[in-house]
Amino acid sequence: MLDGKNILLVIGGGIAAFKALDLIRQLRKQGASVTPVITRAGQEFVTPLSASALAGSKVYTDLFSLTDEAEMGHIELSRAADLVVVAPATADLLAKMANGMANDLASTLLLATDTRILVAPSMNVRMWQHRATQRNVATLAGDGVLFVGPDEGAMACGEFGPGRLAEPAAITAAITAAITDGPLANKHILVTSGPTHEPIDPVRYIANRSSGAQGSAIALALSALGAKVTFISGPADVAPPAGVTVVQVKTAREMLIAAQNALPADAAIFAAAVADWRVTSEAKSKIKKDNKGGLPVLEFAENPDILATISQMKTGRPALVVGFAAETDNVLENATAKRLRKGCDWIIANDVSPETGIMGGHENAVTLIDETSAENWPRMGKDAVAKQLAQRISAFLTS
Ligand code: CTP
């Protein structure tokens, strides 16, 4: 698949650097040639000799090596590749890249290159979630840098969460997609995600327990297949994925407008947990406890149904509309009826009873319901559900 392709692999310093060796092996198996560049910190985890042996090529480590400059200068090195891959990319490397710093060989060639860059971050969960890192990720994504991972899971430091280096197989798949464009190239897909917040007064709102994890994972999986994704998100806990167009909204009505504005789209996936009701009596100033009238009485109105509105469009309807059905009882029966009532093509049913731990958790157990069948998928990580769904969407749109 990668025959004749030339990958420049920057190996940063991090506990996951050892996986870069497996990545080299997998890339070569696919027919690519790999030129490793190892940062000073990276050399604490991986020796140039082992990378060189696996890559079957010279390994570069220093900026000021006269021999290297004579044979192949760093500018040349950065441009001879079909793709520059950074794995693992530490928080420090991302910060350098986002700010255009060039104080060692890796950062210099990342600044000098005119080739596309794919980054596989790996760091402690708090470092990943830190605003500074998320700012750098957003800057880099805006600059067109591609991302794969990080994955979620137990980390070497004993914590749990996003920050693990994506598996070498996933990085190889992302490299292949980046070089070959992916099956969903030229397809535009709209994804809604997260909860909505419906204001009661300027400081209080009605919300739900959706973390936005499943929607984020779906957006990422679709973009990894080459789709152009518009990601419309309510106030979620999980950060939006890199490499997609993000539209932040708060209320259901804002989400509907954003979805309509994002059309036309080839497919639309409605993973958001939209609040069904909003408060019509929204107060303009904070409701005080000492109000003479006693306890406040809230009046509700039904929110627009975004999924039903888009599903039932007479013209310009996306070719594939996918809804979710969050149920606590009679999951299959309710979800099947919901698909028909809303008019979407597929509905992904899941049991969100508290004992399942699905709402706000890391795993999901879903049933994919279409016009003719109901297919149970085994319980798996939300990332795995997203990848499987993205494959199905890709098969539908490209058949
Ligand atoms: N949905 C939507 N707009 C709404 C409510 C729901 O787009 N105002 C979408 C959700 O994104 C999801 C699907 O409709 O894809 C089903 O959401 P769910 O909460 O399961 O169903 P509801 O329509 O809210 O019905 P109920 O609460 O009665 O189960």
Side-chain angles (χ1 to χ4, degrees):
M1 281 263 265
L2 293 172
D3 280 330
K5 300 291 182 192
N6 197 345
I7 310 293
L8 184 68
L9 175 64
V10 176
I11 304 174
I15 197 77
F18 74 93
K19 285 193 191 171
L21 296 178
D22 191 24
L23 178 62
I24 295 175
R25 204 181 48 75
Q26 294 203 23
L27 289 171
R28 292 204 66 203
K29 221 164 119 188
Q30 300 273 332
S33 51
V34 182
T35 308
V37 172
I38 314 183
T39 65
R40 185 172 300 238
Q43 291 169 57
E44 301 289 332
F45 299 91
V46 169
T47 66
L49 190 62
S50 48
S52 169
L54 280 164
S57 83
K58 185 172 165 52
V59 170
Y60 295 83
T61 53
D62 287 324
L63 183 54
F64 301 109
S65 156
L66 283 178
T67 344
D68 290 354
E69 284 300 323
E71 284 170 10
M72 190 189 233
H74 58 264
I75 303 273
E76 185 52 31
L77 188 59
S78 74
R79 295 187 182 166
D82 293 294
L83 189 71
V84 178
V85 177
V86 190
T90 58
D92 179 62
L93 253 177
L94 293 179
K96 279 184 182 166
M97 288 171 70
N99 291 288
M101 289 171 69
N103 57 3
D104 61 5
L105 178 60
S107 53
T108 302
L109 62 85
L110 283 162
L111 193 62
T113 192
D114 57 1
T115 306
R116 288 218 291 174
I117 302 173
L118 173 79
V119 158
S122 166
M123 67 197 74
N124 167 275
V125 54
R126 291 198 193 287
M127 290 170 78
W128 171 252
Q129 285 170 340
H130 195 284
R131 279 165 186 269
T133 303
Q134 288 304 313
R135 260 197 316 273
N136 292 334
V137 167
T139 302
L140 292 169
D143 293 345
V145 171
L146 303 169
F147 281 78
V148 52
D151 286 352
E152 225 173 69
M155 314 197 69
C157 52
E159 291 186 54
F160 188 92
R164 279 163 61 114
L165 182 70
E167 290 304 320
I171 302 176
T172 304
I175 290 170
T176 310
I179 288 180
T180 56
D181 265 357
L184 289 176
N186 305 321
K187 302 285 182 205
H188 176 216
I189 304 186
L190 155 69
V191 179
T192 70
S193 180
T196 62
H197 284 181
E198 308 296 332
I200 296 170
D201 67 14
V203 294
R204 304 178 180 96
Y205 56 83
I206 293 173
N208 60 62
R209 295 183 203 283
S210 167
S211 64
Q214 187 64 84
S216 266
I218 291 169
L220 185 62
L222 289 166
S223 111
L225 294 182
K228 177 178 174 305
V229 176
T230 302
F231 183 68
I232 302 171
S233 177
D237 300 336
V238 174
V244 304
T245 304
V246 180
V247 184
Q248 300 275 10
V249 298
K250 285 210 169 63
T251 67
R253 285 177 298 170
E254 288 169 7
M255 191 174 270
L256 172 64
I257 292 168
Q260 288 167 326
N261 287 343
L263 296 177
D266 297 286
I269 321 303
F270 293 90
V274 185
D276 291 320
W277 306 284
R278 68 176 178 278
V279 177
T280 47
S281 50
E282 180 191 344
K284 290 287 164 267
S285 46
K286 189 181 171 204
I287 303 172
K288 302 294 288 177
K289 265 193 303 200
D290 58 6
N291 266 356
K292 297 284 176 285
L295 292 175
V297 177
L298 301 180
E299 271 176 32
F300 290 94
E302 197 166 321
N303 268 329
D305 192 313
I306 306 162
L307 171 62
T309 307
I310 304 291
S311 293
Q312 292 164 26
M313 283 172 69
K314 295 278 182 286
T315 50
R317 179 193 191 274
L320 178 67
V321 179
V322 182
F324 274 72
E327 307 289 344
T328 54
D329 309 283
N330 303 326
V331 177
L332 202 59
E333 200 180 307
N334 283 339
T336 305
K338 199 171 271 182
R339 190 189 78 82
L340 288 172
R341 195 168 63 241
K342 304 221 182 197
C344 56
D345 303 297
W346 300 350
I347 207 149
I348 314 288
N350 56 2
D351 185 344
V352 290
S353 310
E355 62 274 17
T356 65
I358 282 173
M359 199 107 177
H362 301 287
E363 292 187 332
N364 209 348
V366 307
T367 305
L368 171 61
I369 301 170
D370 65 11
E371 202 177 344
T372 52
S373 63
E375 187 184 302
N376 286 319
W377 293 2
R379 189 175 171 121
M380 52 182 129
K382 287 184 175 173
D383 288 348
V385 169
K387 282 177 191 155
Q388 195 159 321
L389 181 61
Q391 289 294 347
R392 295 294 279 265
I393 292 167
S394 170
F396 180 92
L397 291 180
T398 55
S399 66

